Amino acid sequence: MSVNYLQGSDAIAPGRVRTPGLWRTLAASGGGRIGLGLAAAMVAVIALGPSMAPYSPTQIGLGLPNDPPSSAFLFGTDELGRDILSRFLFGGRSVVLMPLAAVTLAMLVGGGLGVLGAYVQVRPGLEWLDRLISSLFDLALALPPLLLALVLIAGFGTSPLVMILAVAVIFAPRTGRILRGAAQAVVTSDYVAAAQARGESVLYILVRELLPNIAATVIAEFTLRMTWAVIFVAALSFLGLGAQPPSSDWGLMVAQARSFITVSPLGVAAPALGIAVLSVSLNLIADALARYLDPASGKPGVSL
Amino acid sequence: MTAKKITEFLAHLRGAPGQRVVLSRLGFALATLLLMSLITFAATSIAPEDVARNALGREVTQGQVELFIHDKGLDRPFAVRYAEWLAGAATGDFGVSAVTGRDVRADVMPRLGNTVVLALLALVIGVPLSLGVAVYMALRMGGWQDVSLLAGTTVLTALPEFVTGMGLVLLFGVTLGWLPIDSTALLFGSAFDNLSAYVLPVTTMVLVTAPYTIRIARSSICESLASAHTRAAILNGLSRRRILWAYAVLPAATPIINTLALNLVYLISGVVVIENVFNFPGIGRRLVEAITTGDTYTVQAVALLMGAMFIIINLAADLMAAYVNPRLRAR
Amino acid sequence: MGEIGAMKSTVSAGVADNALLRISDLSLAYATPGGAFNEVVRGVDLTLRRGEVLGLVGESGCGKSTTALAAMGYRSPGVRVLGGQVWLGGTDLMSLPLAELRTIWGRKAAFVSQQANLALNPSLRIGQQIADPLRRHMGLRGAALLRRQIELLRRVEIPDPERAIRRYPFEFSGGQQQRIAIAVALSCEPELLILDEPTTGLDATTQAHISVLLGGLVREKGVSVIYVSHDLALLHSIADRIAVMYAGQIVEVGTARAVVTAALHPYTRALMLAAPSLERPGMVSGIPGRPPSSTVKDACAFADRCSQVRDACISADVPLTVSDGGHVVRCLQANERSAAASLLRPLSPAIAGEPVLAVRGLVCTHRNASAPTIRHIDLDLRRGETLGIVGESGSGKSTLLRAIAGLLPPTAGSIEFRGETLAATVSGRPRAQRGELQMVFQNPDSSLNPRHTVRAILSRPLRLFREGLGRSGETAEIERLLDAVQLPRLVLDRRPSELSGGQKQRIAIARAFAARPAVLLCDEITSALDVSVQASILELLGELAAQRGVATIFVSHDLAVVRMLASRTMVMRHGVVLESGPTAELFSAPRHDYTRTLLAAVHDLPRCEVPTQ
């Protein structure tokens, strides 16, 4: 009996209807577009800022202390007579780079452990390793994050390096738990069972079966973690426990200009706005990515 | 509590709902507290020389450092010092600060009071506000009220607390001049000054915590509104009010309580940043001062206090979430 | 089926004046993200008479659930009413405001949805959920309310109702949850009851129990019922009349007997030929293609899958025509029936000789489980034969397959393949053995890596188990495999998400055959598919296995499917084999009570009277 299965709407059409990719989903949502636009603008300011700055960010006594905005100093000067605009244009780099370093470290260590934990779940005899890793995560997650960072900084000294390590320590178990969950869904799927039944190597399963399927989660998790890291690191710099003078890090700039807020409000407003726009843009992108991963989250409810 | 009292307490719990849950959470909380104390003590005083140099300043001779170490018993093994410190901490004795020369407990306790008042005010205002707004938004999901509130909460959630706080200072303190730009008045001001000193810090805390609660609560309620059991309730002709509270909000209680717990926990640690924005005389401000001045004993005391509060609130929230979860409450 | 049949009322066909519900010219559409409307229900006219059970049947996505909800006057979120009325008594539900609908819902008309585990509020005690409509519509309070709650729970056979009212939904089994949902729906004695696949997803014996219970309730209360299902055999035994839906349109309506024994629409006939049956063992035949995702204008919607299609079918809308006894059909060729192919085909016999696979005393215990999942299983599989394993969920049938595949190390027992003992885990088995033992999984969504193309999926086993093919040999072999599973070469660069469920399962089968297996392990491979697609997959599998002399173990919960495919059958429950033997013998003279219960739970179509010319 020969039946042509390719009739009607089951025919494979030459034109393809693909599920929209991550990038396209991001660009399709209003929030995602605004987020991408703002992020692009901030990256431009942060990357090109130093080459456009009229003065050195650390040069003292360029003008009178706390001078109001003028044609020479567009944003005015701070309490040491430094140019606020130049300090602002230089101060964005550490606001992005320190969280980037911390999150990358956290994802490598925490995410690595999480994926390992998920993977050993299907290796008979190694389940204890997953239980050990999960318990470590649970215990670490029960500790108060900001307090833990403060204690570590109190013990090991105030420096950007200590702060990056402290933030990485705090984020590692959080990121690890998310990636363990994502990897678990893949590892327990039948296509991994099928690969195991074929006798594929561990390396093949990790690289060809697992990684492509958690890539979107990794990207979304990275973005989400970055939004929190930017806030967290800026707050620590604001407290004087991250970036150190004479750096013009935006968090530190806000803290230093705090005492002169009535005479030179732009010293607080410019860096605060910079952090705000950066953080909002990252958040919008992270929200859009979360919707990509869980499209059902936005389904319509009933109206009562 | 004596051993007998503990046994009685446990016997009372036996047969009570979720006894095993209570005990396992209690044990876990104790373990966490111990770990926190160990990390705190280890990070801050594992190297006696650092403790001494922090206390005495940079311009000291090696002799002075050694004398200090010997005086304070810092040359004894770490385990002994940790046990001694923990025993002291349990009775409220954190020693005398080598930097300020004051008893740490007497220094910290009044500030703890200020912080607790601040956090409670934020809680009392923030929780009903967030729940009310969340239900309002869920009922108007997709409407302009919902969309604009959602946009507002998205921006507010994204802002670091010191940016929100500084924004309020710039607006109400500098531009409008209605409110004091910091809260130092609390230390010596009049009753009215006291009150106005709380306004901006409390507002900041509410603006920082509420949007997150609102977003989570709104999406959990919306999820229940889209569920099959809400549709079944509608098709049974139940009243709008009954469907809303019993079929949409009640099943969303667990995530909402978890979020509120996160909020509370945040109030304890996030208070550090906000107190520093407003120079508010609480323990958060004291902790940062102590770190920058190398006041080891004060750092240890505040970290342990805040850590304990964090862990206790987490425990309470866990138990409450377990209580509203029918799977754990049943039988 | 005697008791279930009692659900049928004595209403005779052709009398329409005692209608309770009349749906007229109803058209519904889903709003698409782009702002356009995708019409899913088109010009539906249906009448439900007082005391009647009307069955509504069709494949998934044909609009039957959307129609059932609309029959309540309910507007689902995202659904727009393009036109039409729903008359309940003298009122048009479609034009009523929500406030007035609330007085009808639960009181005059009630709805039971599928998946009771989701339809009950997880945070509310079930007593509360039964009390809610009673308080609202009947004003019951206090002792009277309690009495009624307990009476209702007792009526739906929930054990210990006094205590049950204080329990939460999760404390009940799936079948009990559905019975509680039925109690809630019937609490205020509605005139109209709409059942939307109320037993789908439940075990066969639970399904049968609920059907019997529903039959009793319907007869006792005199309620009129619209019963939505994809199962024509079930509706034949329950309904007075059956309406068949396709692509959002009613294509045939008639008495249950007329629709099943003298079907007029080619689609209805094709549905019956696709359904495996105990009474007419032999191969089923699938319906080519799949239903359109929205309604079709200016043509017969079934034209592209129909073997009798003519020019007239695709040039204009096809009207409903009435023939003898009020039997209504939407087909231009209704009176020119095609010759039905003879579908009986002999099963491939086992090839004599030593068993290719022998399992002895196999015991498997899952991690964290106290008792073993399967206990002391023995089985033999000979070359070319198909062994069916039947059991309900939790019987351990899938565990057994995974243990044979080496994915789950057994705690005791042995598995021999061609006389050699197999290593417990797959990593200990030589490559040749791994290639010769292949498995096809239940759900192709989970068994095909969504990030791989079809080419990557098919080339992998070739590279591992068919060394020396070379690049051109590999391409040729992949093309041969695609031909064998009847898919075009266009699919090679597609990913699984771009294919339909049936197409995906074909790829999974092709992957298994790529390794040239001697033994094929099939784990419920059609349970996620519609009946018409299932038929094509079964046909394909039967042909391939016979051609290549592959021995197959076919695990299923569906007795009719096993009856059709397997020469020998094993019945499993709670991890042990209750009974095994030649299929024909086991089905005609079951020895074990449980087998008899399973067989009794199967609704079967009577011998199909497809006239041949």
Side-chain angles (χ1 to χ4, degrees):
Chain A
M1 183 167 46
S2 99
V3 179
N4 179 7
Y5 287 92
L6 310 167
Q7 302 169 348
S9 41
D10 210 25
I12 310 285
R16 303 174 62 174
V17 187
R18 301 188 58 167
T19 46
L22 193 133
W23 179 253
R24 209 177 269 194
T25 316
L26 199 54
S29 77
R33 270 207 297 272
I34 296 174
L36 282 176
L38 287 179
M42 286 315 289
V43 167
V45 167
I46 289 164
L48 304 177
S51 57
M52 298 190 325
Y55 306 101
S56 149
T58 49
Q59 177 72 51
I60 295 174
L62 277 171
L64 295 169
N66 293 323
D67 227 11
S70 63
S71 59
F73 306 106
L74 285 176
F75 283 15
T77 58
D78 69 4
E79 74 281 8
L80 297 176
R82 294 174 293 196
D83 178 37
I84 290 178
L85 176 62
S86 299
R87 287 180 67 70
F88 170 76
L89 288 173
F90 270 93
R93 281 181 305 180
S94 52
V95 171
V96 173
L97 292 181
M98 289 196 291
L100 202 62
V103 170
T104 308
L105 201 60
M107 289 209 81
L108 287 178
V109 176
L113 280 175
V115 169
L116 178 70
Y119 183 70
V120 296
Q121 282 177 8
V122 293
R123 307 297 288 192
L126 280 175
E127 296 93 344
W128 60 269
L129 188 58
D130 177 48
R131 281 200 295 277
L132 178 73
I133 292 171
S134 301
S135 318
L136 270 178
F137 284 172
D138 282 348
L139 206 58
L141 284 170
L143 298 172
L146 181 65
L147 206 56
L148 189 60
L150 293 181
V151 164
L152 292 176
I153 290 167
F156 299 102
T158 12
S159 78
L161 183 66
V162 171
M163 186 191 63
I164 287 170
L165 291 176
V167 173
V169 164
I170 287 161
F171 281 12
R174 287 167 172 79
T175 255
R177 198 152 72 160
I178 301 287
L179 290 192
R180 176 177 172 273
Q184 190 172 9
V186 175
V187 160
T188 52
S189 74
D190 286 338
Y191 55 82
V192 169
Q196 284 182 313
R198 287 199 302 269
E200 301 282 8
S201 68
V202 174
L203 193 68
Y204 176 90
I205 291 178
L206 281 180
V207 174
R208 293 281 292 141
E209 307 281 352
L210 183 65
L211 277 187
N213 284 295
I214 60 169
T217 312
V218 169
I219 294 170
E221 173 65 12
F222 192 88
T223 320
L224 186 67
R225 221 40 79 179
M226 269 303 284
T227 71
W228 290 336
V230 164
I231 295 181
F232 205 88
V233 166
L236 286 175
S237 289
F238 169 77
L239 294 176
L241 305 174
Q244 294 299 308
S247 157
S248 64
D249 180 277
W250 288 345
L252 186 62
M253 244 178 112
V254 173
Q256 290 180 328
R258 170 76 177 90
S259 315
F260 309 96
I261 191 167
T262 45
V263 285
S264 179
L266 264 178
V268 172
L273 201 67
I275 294 171
V277 173
L278 181 66
S279 171
V280 168
S281 70
L282 284 172
N283 257 282
L284 288 172
I285 296 173
D287 275 0
L289 288 174
R291 276 197 298 276
Y292 169 76
L293 287 178
D294 183 15
S297 62
K299 74 172 180 177
V302 296
S303 47
L304 286 177
Chain B
M1 245 195 300
T2 63
K4 191 176 167 229
K5 272 190 183 159
I6 292 174
T7 339
E8 275 171 15
F9 177 66
L10 294 184
H12 170 73
L13 278 179
R14 190 157 298 138
Q19 176 213 349
R20 273 185 49 203
V21 177
V22 174
L23 286 182
S24 73
R25 299 280 154 93
L26 208 62
F28 185 71
L30 272 176
T32 323
L33 193 55
L34 219 61
L35 179 68
M36 185 68 207
S37 75
L38 185 65
I39 292 175
T40 305
F41 191 77
T44 50
S45 66
I46 198 153
E49 199 147 317
D50 287 351
V51 181
R53 287 192 189 278
N54 269 338
L56 302 173
R58 294 288 149 196
E59 305 295 317
V60 287
T61 63
Q62 190 61 28
Q64 281 171 300
V65 169
E66 273 161 23
L67 191 67
F68 182 89
I69 289 175
H70 186 72
D71 267 5
K72 301 282 176 185
L74 292 174
D75 45 2
R76 290 172 302 152
F78 175 76
V80 175
R81 286 188 289 135
Y82 172 64
E84 201 178 271
W85 173 75
L86 201 60
T91 59
D93 175 15
F94 292 99
V96 176
S97 162
V99 174
T100 63
R102 297 180 57 194
D103 180 53
V104 171
R105 184 183 175 182
D107 183 33
V108 165
M109 280 308 166
R111 289 163 177 273
L112 178 64
N114 291 342
T115 299
V116 168
V117 171
L118 179 61
L120 282 181
L121 277 174
L123 192 69
V124 167
I125 296 169
V127 172
L129 182 81
S130 342
L131 290 185
V133 172
V135 171
Y136 175 84
M137 286 168 77
L139 284 179
R140 280 165 183 70
M141 188 177 169
W144 65 268
Q145 303 98 324
D146 176 45
V147 170
S148 40
L149 279 168
L150 200 59
T153 52
T154 306
V155 171
L156 279 174
T157 326
L159 295 183
E161 46 275 74
F162 73 92
V163 170
T164 311
M166 281 301 173
L168 291 177
V169 170
L170 280 169
L171 182 61
F172 293 104
V174 179
T175 311
L176 298 171
W178 292 352
L179 290 162
I181 58 166
D182 62 28
S183 305
T184 39
L186 257 189
L187 289 175
F188 41 77
S190 67
F192 177 77
D193 288 342
N194 269 343
L195 198 66
S196 59
Y198 274 108
V199 174
L200 282 183
V202 169
T203 312
T204 309
M205 288 193 111
V206 171
L207 282 185
V208 169
T209 53
Y212 183 67
T213 320
I214 290 170
R215 274 156 55 99
I216 300 287
R218 171 193 172 273
S219 71
S220 329
I221 295 171
C222 284
E223 201 174 295
S224 331
L225 280 175
S227 71
H229 69 253
T230 304
R231 193 182 72 188
I234 293 173
L235 287 173
N236 279 323
L238 303 188
S239 67
R240 193 167 181 265
R241 178 194 302 219
R242 178 73 183 162
I243 295 171
L244 175 64
W245 294 107
Y247 290 78
V249 177
L250 186 65
T254 308
I256 293 176
I257 286 179
N258 285 334
T259 316
L260 287 178
L262 266 178
N263 253 340
L264 251 170
V265 157
Y266 169 81
L267 290 177
I268 294 305
S269 65
V271 83
V272 173
V273 178
I274 289 171
E275 287 184 3
N276 279 282
V277 170
F278 296 98
N279 289 322
F280 183 93
I283 48 168
R285 174 106 192 88
R286 187 73 193 89
L287 176 61
V288 174
E289 272 171 16
I291 292 172
T292 39
T293 56
D295 189 346
T296 307
Y297 292 168
T298 307
V299 171
Q300 290 171 346
V302 176
L304 196 63
L305 267 177
M306 291 179 80
M309 281 161 74
F310 178 96
I311 288 158
I312 289 168
I313 292 169
N314 251 346
L315 174 69
D318 261 9
L319 292 180
M320 207 159 124
Y323 181 74
V324 297
N325 183 347
R327 281 173 196 274
L328 297 173
R329 187 169 25 151
R331 273 175 285 186
Chain C
M1 89 171 81
E3 265 209 77
I4 302 167
M7 186 165 173
K8 295 192 183 192
S9 69
T10 51
V11 179
S12 60
V15 190
D17 55 348
N18 59 346
L20 172 72
L21 182 82
R22 188 175 288 130
I23 300 174
S24 74
D25 203 21
L26 184 70
S27 294
L28 304 167
Y30 278 108
T32 59
F37 289 98
N38 184 18
E39 193 184 52
V40 289
V41 170
R42 180 146 188 252
V44 165
D45 284 298
L46 267 183
T47 303
L48 176 69
R49 297 157 194 159
R50 280 183 196 280
E52 177 187 50
V53 176
L54 174 66
L56 192 55
V57 73
E59 288 179 278
S60 51
C62 70
K64 55 190 192 304
S65 290
T66 314
T67 306
L69 276 170
M72 293 285 290
Y74 179 80
R75 280 81 109 180
S76 310
V79 168
R80 189 158 126 171
V81 181
L82 298 179
Q85 299 94 40
V86 175
W87 296 96
L88 178 68
T91 44
D92 174 20
L93 298 183
M94 281 296 157
S95 63
L96 278 191
L98 201 55
E100 280 178 57
L101 284 169
R102 282 187 211 283
T103 64
I104 292 172
W105 289 340
R107 178 73 192 87
K108 286 186 183 160
F111 190 87
V112 175
S113 66
Q114 54 179 315
Q115 292 183 301
N117 57 332
L118 301 179
L120 294 173
N121 182 342
S123 311
L124 216 54
R125 296 171 201 272
I126 64 147
Q128 285 289 318
Q129 305 195 45
I130 296 176
D132 272 341
L134 289 171
R135 271 200 213 105
R136 165 100 175 151
H137 300 298
M138 318 288 276
L140 288 187
R141 297 284 186 278
L145 178 64
L146 184 67
R147 234 186 349 267
R148 182 84 179 119
Q149 282 171 299
I150 288 169
E151 180 193 317
L152 278 164
L153 283 178
R154 183 164 293 136
R155 185 62 195 85
V156 295
E157 295 164 27
I158 297 295
D160 197 3
E162 286 85 355
R163 235 184 269 177
I165 55 171
R166 287 201 307 276
R167 301 229 159 107
Y168 290 93
F170 76 91
E171 297 175 74
F172 297 89
S173 70
Q176 285 176 326
Q177 288 177 345
Q178 191 57 282
R179 281 186 269 143
I180 292 165
I182 291 168
V184 175
L186 290 176
S187 61
C188 301
E189 313 250 319
E191 300 168 278
L192 169 65
L193 179 62
I194 296 181
L195 303 164
D196 184 9
E197 306 240 13
T199 59
T200 303
L202 300 173
D203 270 332
T205 47
T206 316
Q207 279 190 20
H209 187 179
I210 290 184
S211 298
V212 169
L213 179 81
L214 270 171
L217 280 167
V218 164
R219 186 183 38 194
E220 175 187 314
K221 313 266 184 201
V223 57
S224 315
V225 177
I226 293 182
Y227 197 121
V228 177
S229 176
H230 63 276
D231 187 344
L232 198 54
L234 172 79
L235 289 182
H236 172 253
S237 66
I238 284 183
D240 299 302
R241 288 192 305 143
I242 292 178
V244 183
M245 266 190 105
Y246 184 78
Q249 282 184 311
I250 300 288
V251 296
E252 180 161 4
V253 188
T255 61
R257 188 178 157 70
V259 167
V260 168
T261 59
L264 293 176
H265 200 282
Y267 177 64
T268 316
R269 291 204 293 269
L271 265 186
M272 285 190 287
L273 289 178
S277 160
L278 289 179
E279 289 189 24
R280 33 173 194 90
M283 265 303 170
V284 287
S285 90
I287 310 176
R290 59 179 147 155
S293 55
S294 61
T295 56
V296 175
K297 280 194 179 62
D298 298 326
C300 169
F302 190 62
D304 59 356
R305 302 171 80 188
C306 184
S307 56
Q308 296 164 255
V309 63
R310 300 204 183 153
D311 286 348
C313 301
I314 51 172
S315 54
D317 274 336
V318 178
L320 280 170
T321 46
V322 185
S323 60
D324 324 335
H327 197 152
V328 176
V329 67
R330 191 188 293 277
C331 180
L332 297 174
Q333 262 72 43
N335 294 318
E336 294 167 40
R337 297 167 195 170
S338 69
S342 167
L343 296 160
L344 283 165
R345 177 172 340 144
L347 289 164
S348 53
I351 297 162
E354 282 299 297
V356 61
L357 187 80
V359 172
R360 294 285 172 268
L362 201 70
V363 180
C364 271
T365 312
H366 270 290
R367 223 192 317 159
N368 309 329
S370 50
T373 319
I374 54 171
R375 280 172 285 177
H376 305 290
I377 306 284
D378 294 316
L379 68 83
D380 285 313
L381 187 68
R382 270 163 235 288
R383 217 183 131 218
E385 83 166 333
T386 297
L387 171 68
I389 300 182
V390 174
E392 296 185 307
S393 50
S395 60
K397 54 194 196 304
S398 296
T399 305
L400 173 62
L401 279 199
R402 284 185 178 249
I404 296 173
L407 294 171
L408 194 77
T411 31
S414 70
I415 306 166
E416 277 177 27
F417 180 69
R418 297 208 165 123
E420 286 173 50
T421 304
L422 286 177
T425 57
V426 74
S427 49
R429 299 179 184 175
R431 179 177 292 200
Q433 281 183 351
R434 293 198 303 258
E436 284 185 301
L437 259 175
Q438 286 289 312
M439 180 153 173
V440 182
F441 296 84
Q442 174 172 7
N443 189 347
D445 286 324
S446 168
S447 70
L448 302 180
N449 188 329
R451 298 280 160 186
H452 289 182
T453 60
V454 169
R455 186 192 301 278
I457 289 168
L458 293 182
S459 65
R460 193 66 198 168
L462 292 179
R463 251 168 243 176
L464 283 173
F465 304 119
R466 308 271 296 276
E467 277 173 305
L469 270 180
R471 191 158 288 271
S472 59
E474 194 180 293
T475 308
E477 185 60 26
I478 288 178
E479 287 174 355
R480 270 197 294 278
L481 284 167
L482 285 183
D483 290 345
V485 296
Q486 294 159 331
L487 286 176
R489 281 152 209 191
L490 266 173
V491 300
L492 274 179
D493 296 309
R494 306 284 162 97
R495 288 175 212 281
S497 62
E498 301 173 70
L499 305 177
S500 72
Q503 291 167 343
K504 278 183 267 197
Q505 201 59 293
R506 283 162 194 272
I507 297 293
I509 290 171
R511 174 174 65 184
F513 277 101
R516 292 222 171 127
V519 171
L520 190 63
L521 308 169
C522 298
D523 186 9
E524 298 258 21
I525 62 167
T526 57
S527 67
L529 304 173
D530 255 320
V531 62
S532 65
V533 183
Q534 161 176 291
S536 335
I537 295 283
L538 294 178
E539 239 177 324
L540 175 77
L541 187 74
E543 261 174 43
L544 284 176
Q547 269 170 24
R548 304 180 184 208
V550 174
T552 309
I553 300 185
F554 194 93
V555 159
S556 177
H557 67 277
D558 189 332
L559 276 78
V561 167
V562 168
R563 172 79 180 90
M564 183 179 79
L565 280 181
S567 48
R568 280 192 306 129
T569 300
M570 261 168 60
V571 180
M572 281 185 76
R573 188 171 64 160
H574 302 326
V576 291
V577 177
L578 295 180
E579 170 167 17
S580 71
T583 306
E585 232 171 82
L586 188 140
F587 277 66
S588 57
R591 291 189 304 266
H592 200 282
D593 277 347
Y594 179 68
T595 315
R596 278 192 278 274
T597 317
L598 280 180
L599 283 167
V602 178
H603 298 287
D604 211 343
L605 288 168
R607 194 167 293 274
C608 220
E609 293 167 26
V610 183
T612 46
Q613 285 181 336

